[in-house]
Amino acid sequence: MSIISALQWRYATKKMNGEVVVESKINSILEAIRLVPTSSGLQPFEVMVITNPALKESIRKVAFNQSQITDCSHLLVFAAWDHYTTERMTHYFDHYEKERDLPKGFSDDYKNSVMKQLTSLSLERQFEHAAKQIYIALGFALAEAATLQVDSVPMEGFVSADVDDILQLSEKGLRSVLLLPLGYRDTENDWQAELKKVRKTKEDIFTFIR
């Protein structure tokens, strides 16, 4: 299936049937997230992969009772760094140098420049910068899921502070940004399952400047 066909197939699934997605497909979606491009390559987020029914039920209660959270196979919780630190930045660039077999300290000038730029922002702006990277990862996850014909629905409708408490994210210096249930559509009970996909026309979206 081409990515265009896959994107035509997918929709924001409103009802899931509880069927389990095989691990090979989940791993492929997670690998797409891992390979995502981010600002300076920092990947300033983590993803919690939840199958525990009790945890999913707790999150559903603080996510406006959206049934996909408990009826999905795997619930992904994307959480951004709450702020940038020297430790986090150094850890990334040490890994970068090791993976590319570069001398230790090779990237210090760039690391210090990026660190200075990011840490000069307010703490809330630092979090916002990190959170924006999650939406790039989301796009890759949605596309890979669709090519595998795994249903998904991105969710911002939840109380972030409550999810943070449930998953103890604050202790890791993280704040939840997005939920992504993965599973399979319940075609008999999802009224949107067979509806035509509606998007803006090309003329409404694209402006060609030559």
Side-chain angles (χ1 to χ4, degrees):
M1 180 184 289
S2 77
I3 191 171
I4 299 302
S5 297
L7 294 177
Q8 290 170 337
W9 170 86
R10 79 158 302 278
Y11 73 107
T13 313
K14 301 305 180 187
K15 293 288 183 181
M16 292 187 171
N17 64 12
E19 183 180 345
V20 175
V21 180
V22 297
E23 286 300 312
S24 60
K25 291 188 176 184
I26 295 297
N27 289 338
S28 186
I29 295 166
L30 298 181
E31 182 66 358
I33 294 169
R34 190 183 73 86
L35 294 174
V36 70
T38 56
S39 179
S40 299
L42 293 173
Q43 296 176 283
F45 57 82
E46 294 184 25
V47 182
M48 315 299 137
V49 184
I50 301 172
T51 55
N52 181 286
L55 268 182
K56 290 198 289 185
E57 183 63 43
S58 295
I59 293 173
R60 176 174 174 168
K61 290 176 181 176
V62 298
F64 305 102
N65 199 38
Q66 296 176 86
S67 64
Q68 304 98 311
I69 292 172
T70 50
D71 295 339
C72 70
S73 171
H74 292 66
L75 175 65
L76 307 190
V77 179
F78 290 77
W81 291 356
D82 56 4
H83 68 294
Y84 290 95
T85 66
T86 300
E87 181 181 8
R88 281 170 162 166
M89 303 282 276
T90 299
H91 178 76
Y92 166 73
F93 282 102
D94 284 349
H95 176 68
Y96 167 86
E97 291 169 354
K98 181 180 179 181
E99 288 295 299
R100 292 194 167 175
D101 198 24
L102 297 170
K104 186 171 177 57
F106 176 88
S107 55
D108 278 358
D109 287 346
Y110 182 65
K111 175 184 72 176
N112 292 334
S113 175
V114 172
M115 190 180 305
K116 181 178 179 181
Q117 177 186 9
L118 292 175
T119 58
S120 69
L121 303 173
S122 68
L123 291 180
E124 190 60 25
R125 287 286 304 281
Q126 289 182 45
F127 166 70
E128 290 173 358
H129 181 275
K132 286 179 180 179
Q133 312 311 307
I134 283 175
Y135 288 89
I136 304 173
L138 169 66
F140 278 59
L142 294 176
E144 180 64 8
T147 63
L148 298 170
Q149 292 205 307
V150 173
D151 285 298
S152 61
V153 52
M155 293 179 171
E156 293 181 311
F158 63 98
V159 182
S160 178
D162 289 343
V163 171
D164 295 351
D165 287 343
I166 292 167
L167 299 178
Q168 299 180 319
L169 296 180
S170 299
E171 297 175 12
K172 301 180 68 176
L174 299 168
R175 291 167 59 182
S176 56
V177 173
L178 188 78
L179 308 180
L180 184 65
L182 299 171
Y184 295 107
R185 63 189 68 177
D186 180 353
T187 53
E188 292 185 3
N189 295 299
D190 190 342
W191 66 276
Q192 291 205 66
E194 304 301 330
L195 295 181
K196 178 182 178 180
K197 182 181 287 291
V198 178
R199 294 293 187 269
K200 288 182 177 180
T201 66
K202 294 177 182 178
E203 291 75 16
D204 286 337
I205 293 180
F206 303 114
T207 298
F208 294 91
I209 303 173
R210 297 185 172 90

